[in-house]
Amino acid sequence: VVGFAMGFSDVNKTNGYSAQYDMFNTSDGTWFASGELPSGEGRQYGTALGCGGKLIFAGGQVAGGRSKAVDVYDVQAGAWWPASPQNLALSVARSNLAAACAMDRFAVFGGGQIPGSPAVDILDVETRLWSRAALNFGRGWLSAAGVGDCAVFAGGHPKTGPGSDIDVFCFAEGKSSRR
């Protein structure tokens, strides 16, 4: 997402983790408070990305476990999407996951520690609908990147498993296919 960055504030902490985001507008060089996360869950070791004009934070570690929460900030609207456990949650609670954006439309969240999740959750930021997929094998601490119409996941722990440690999910005509 061009023009904005996000960061944690150390106010309004819940269970020791911040539930408050501050945004930085790179166009005018100003910081502003965006309010508390709609999920109300302060957490660490989650993942964040920009996709389709949205800033998205997903998963993470909370006091006593992992989180399924997904919080979405719409840059144009200047507001968070309302929290809803039915439509803004990962399929599996996890931390140390990776995320990539494909086609500036599909936010793809993969892997994570629970330990070593193979789960892949795909959010279409235009329709707000989810689909699911899986990595070759479960792993956390992995890396991800969006390349054209594909999201690529690589590495992670455990480093070896059945098959390749590179997973590629591509989107054609709004549908996901695995390569």
Side-chain angles (χ1 to χ4, degrees), residues 58-156:
Q61 181 177 324
V62 295
R66 309 281 194 284
S67 173
K68 293 173 79 169
V70 176
D71 293 292
V72 180
Y73 186 82
D74 186 316
V75 173
Q76 280 191 314
W80 292 98
W81 284 3
S84 169
Q86 294 79 20
N87 66 9
L88 285 180
L90 298 170
S91 61
V92 178
R94 58 200 193 268
S95 62
N96 308 101
L97 63 163
C101 180
M103 297 176 62
D104 205 31
R105 176 178 176 182
F106 298 99
V108 186
F109 306 94
Q113 292 299 103
I114 59 169
S117 174
V120 173
D121 296 297
I122 303 161
L123 173 61
D124 182 330
V125 298
E126 290 180 10
T127 65
R128 299 188 188 194
L129 297 175
W130 288 93
S131 57
R132 311 288 184 220
L135 299 172
N136 283 327
F137 61 95
R139 58 201 191 268
W141 305 95
L142 65 170
S143 297
V147 182
D149 69 344
C150 297
V152 180
F153 292 83

Side-chain angles (χ1 to χ4, degrees), residues 135-136 149-153 166-170 176-179:
L135 299 172
N136 283 327
D149 69 344
C150 297
V152 180
F153 292 83
I166 297 175
D167 292 275
V168 180
F169 300 91
C170 294
S176 170
S177 66
R178 190 161 189 279
R179 293 185 183 167

Side-chain angles (χ1 to χ4, degrees), residues 151-165:
V152 180
F153 292 83
H157 179 76
K159 189 170 175 80
T160 60
S164 172
D165 65 352

Side-chain angles (χ1 to χ4, degrees), residues 20-46:
Q20 176 80 32
Y21 271 111
D22 290 340
M23 302 287 181
F24 183 74
N25 184 333
T26 59
S27 299
D28 66 14
T30 61
W31 284 94
F32 64 95
S34 64
E36 186 169 312
L37 298 172
S39 67
E41 272 190 3
R43 52 202 192 266
Q44 66 177 0
Y45 302 125

